[in-house]
Amino acid sequence: MTDREKTIMEEQEGIEEKEKETVEDTEKEEQGKEKTEAETEGKEEPAEDEDTRYLRLMADFQNYKKRVEKEKSDLRSYANEQIMSQLLEILDNFERALEQDAGEGFKKGMEMIFKQLGDVLNKSGLAEIPALGEDFDPNFHNAVLTEETEEYESGKVSGVMQKGYTLNGKVIRPSMVKVVN
């Protein structure tokens, strides 16, 4: 088990302990309020109100647990974002190197390494943003230039200057593109 996994496990245990303490504190507060209200009114509250409070407390606790679980899931999903961003620079350099003329054996070896690196990154949740010929979408594309061309319709991406990528559905680098006027 890595140090990071141990840290996550410790944080999870701490969160669970806080959840238990919060529930206990809330129950004590509710009991104190019930006694105070009953004493001031001179009668006990109906069982229905107690059941309603209990159900509301349980619903709040369930919502809290779901929220914490979602936060932990997001943390796991996007923990690699920084390293992926740095690896994208290496991918770009690989692509540039493959465009150069070199010996056939050298080029074939570079292509194999590039494919292997790409496969590893794809398994980790990295995906290329499709751009060429697509409708311009400012959520995924960064328009750097505009141009007039007969090849594509207005509002379409006519050229990709730098590929964009998503990590588990979140854009970590938008595509730098040329757009048709």
Side-chain angles (χ1 to χ4, degrees):
M1 184 179 285
T2 65
D3 291 336
R4 180 161 180 80
E5 291 172 341
K6 288 179 184 176
T7 304
I8 290 173
M9 294 286 288
E10 290 171 359
E11 289 176 359
Q12 184 177 7
E13 290 172 0
I15 290 171
E16 290 172 357
E17 288 177 17
K18 288 181 182 178
E19 289 174 355
K20 289 178 184 176
E21 291 173 3
T22 303
V23 169
E24 291 172 0
D25 291 344
T26 306
E27 288 175 351
K28 288 178 183 176
E29 288 176 10
E30 290 294 324
Q31 290 174 354
K33 287 181 183 177
E34 290 173 7
K35 289 179 183 177
T36 306
E37 290 173 2
E39 291 171 358
T40 56
E41 293 178 5
K43 60 180 180 178
E44 291 189 27
E45 294 186 24
E48 183 177 55
D49 288 338
E50 292 174 9
D51 290 341
T52 304
R53 276 195 212 122
Y54 176 75
L55 291 173
R56 188 175 302 120
L57 177 65
M58 288 302 295
D60 288 343
F61 181 66
Q62 291 296 325
N63 290 338
Y64 173 76
K65 283 177 63 175
K66 288 177 186 176
R67 186 175 65 246
V68 168
E69 189 61 36
K70 183 183 181 315
E71 289 172 358
K72 285 192 283 188
S73 174
D74 288 346
L75 178 66
R76 285 186 210 111
S77 296
Y78 301 115
N80 298 330
E81 184 175 347
Q82 184 177 12
I83 193 164
M84 288 291 189
S85 296
Q86 293 171 350
L87 287 173
L88 292 179
E89 296 172 17
I90 296 170
L91 272 180
D92 291 341
N93 290 334
F94 254 116
E95 288 177 342
R96 288 185 199 106
L98 290 172
E99 291 173 3
Q100 303 301 316
D101 290 332
E104 193 60 36
F106 178 75
K107 186 170 183 173
K108 186 175 181 179
M110 290 290 284
E111 287 173 349
M112 290 171 59
I113 294 170
F114 179 72
K115 182 181 180 326
Q116 187 178 18
L117 177 61
D119 290 344
V120 168
L121 294 175
N122 288 338
K123 285 179 185 176
S124 298
L126 188 74
E128 183 180 331
I129 297 172
L132 190 61
E134 301 284 326
D135 288 331
F136 175 74
D137 184 352
N139 297 318
F140 297 104
H141 307 127
N142 183 10
V144 179
L145 296 171
T146 59
E147 66 179 356
E148 297 291 332
T149 183
E150 302 278 327
E151 193 173 341
Y152 297 102
E153 299 173 12
S154 179
K156 298 275 187 182
V157 174
S158 62
V160 179
M161 301 171 78
Q162 185 180 43
K163 291 181 180 179
Y165 294 91
T166 61
L167 178 62
N168 297 320
K170 178 182 176 188
V171 176
I172 60 172
R173 183 173 84 181
S175 300
M176 289 176 42
V177 298
K178 293 185 221 176
V179 182
V180 178
N181 278 342

